[in-house]
Amino acid sequence: MTSEAISIEPNMYKAIALKHGLRLWIKHGIKANTRWTVTNMLQTVGKFTGKSYKRSKQGQEEALADIIAVIEDWKQHETTV
């Protein structure tokens, strides 16, 4: 059995982890990490998008949609390079 290691850019990894953490919080109310507060997650998404997000449910869902768009854009760019 062979396994291949994949290489991923650190910022891409952070964005993917952020996406899953936000989704976990929005759907189930569970924080992925005790230090990963909703405010911290929203501020980190803001660093990727250049926008600021409110802590409201609507702000959280907007941040999730935006980080998904950022990831999809990276994936598309990665395949065309």
Side-chain angles (χ1 to χ4, degrees):
M1 179 190 321
T2 62
S3 62
E4 293 182 30
I6 59 169
S7 175
I8 188 167
E9 182 183 340
N11 283 334
M12 178 68 137
Y13 176 82
K14 185 187 270 189
I16 292 169
L18 193 56
K19 176 185 84 167
H20 289 291
L22 261 175
R23 186 176 287 158
L24 185 65
W25 173 255
I26 291 169
K27 287 188 176 186
H28 305 289
I30 300 170
K31 289 195 299 185
N33 182 320
T34 57
R35 294 179 143 207
W36 226 10
T37 64
V38 176
T39 304
N40 287 344
M41 287 190 281
L42 296 177
Q43 287 174 346
T44 306
V45 172
K47 290 178 183 176
F48 283 104
T49 63
K51 296 167 58 176
S52 62
Y53 301 95
K54 297 189 181 231
R55 280 187 40 112
S56 67
K57 188 79 162 180
Q58 182 180 4
Q60 294 170 18
E61 290 172 352
E62 181 184 354
L64 179 60
D66 287 350
I67 198 68
I68 290 171
V70 166
I71 292 167
E72 291 303 317
D73 185 47
W74 275 346
K75 284 182 182 177
Q76 185 180 27
H77 178 69
E78 185 178 275
T79 58
T80 59
V81 173

